[in-house]
Amino acid sequence: MELTPHLEAIRGDLESLVASDEGLAKALERMARPLEATLQLRLLDLLADGALDLTEQLPAGHAELRVSGRDVRLVYVGPPEAAPEPAVASDEDDGGMARLTVRMPDALKSAIEAAADAAAQSVNAWLVQAARSALNRGQDPRRGGGNRIWGFAHS
């Protein structure tokens, strides 16, 4: 859907409201471009909220808002096809252990230690469980999950 006709309709409505007052008409003329940019962003926000609300109601898949210039599309994206589960070796399968050195920011290390304490686990056991959980979900742990909108907007 193209946003331009909707923005022009709003502009026409505003012009008809202030047509009888010359001072307001001149002020509207000066504010037309910034007002149009603000309205376009607000319309995109409204459509993005609508996509999130729609996604919550879908039994599977999600709705995406795709923006290209002033062309906006609300698209249904079905659930990903079931990929074969990655073979994740458990401690019992192999019996072997490997050592891994990880460098991370101090704040992240502190947060991991606090989470491990809260779960009454060692940091090592907590990290192994977190890694195993991320692999079992079959998604990249850096991307997160849930109802996220990915892409960019151009105004």
Side-chain angles (χ1 to χ4, degrees):
M1 105 182 59
E2 180 71 25
L3 291 181
T4 303
H6 302 287
L7 294 170
E8 289 175 356
I10 293 171
R11 186 176 185 175
D13 291 344
L14 289 172
E15 287 173 351
S16 67
L17 286 173
V18 299
S20 61
D21 187 337
E22 190 177 312
L24 285 176
K26 287 182 180 182
L28 178 62
E29 189 176 313
R30 285 190 307 267
M31 294 176 23
R33 281 200 192 277
L35 191 58
E36 186 174 317
T38 298
L39 287 171
Q40 183 175 359
L41 288 175
R42 295 298 179 194
L43 287 172
L44 289 174
D45 286 343
L46 176 68
L47 290 169
D49 287 345
L52 287 175
D53 288 345
L54 182 59
T55 295
E56 291 173 359
Q57 297 174 23
L58 293 172
H62 64 278
E64 285 184 358
L65 184 67
R66 296 183 182 172
V67 181
S68 176
R70 289 193 177 180
D71 185 40
V72 179
R73 296 200 185 280
L74 192 58
V75 179
Y76 169 74
V77 178
E81 292 185 21
E85 297 245 349
V88 179
S90 68
D91 297 341
E92 297 82 29
D93 290 345
D94 187 16
M97 290 286 186
R99 181 175 292 269
L100 175 67
T101 302
V102 179
R103 288 185 174 85
M104 65 183 69
D106 287 332
L108 179 59
K109 179 181 179 281
S110 298
I112 290 172
E113 289 170 341
D117 285 342
Q121 293 179 314
S122 68
V123 170
N124 185 69
W126 189 90
L127 285 171
V128 168
Q129 180 182 359
R132 188 174 287 133
S133 174
L135 289 173
N136 287 338
R137 278 195 316 262
Q139 75 183 78
D140 184 359
R142 294 171 294 164
R143 290 194 55 177
N147 299 328
R148 290 196 168 191
I149 298 173
W150 296 91
F152 65 95
H154 176 71
S155 64

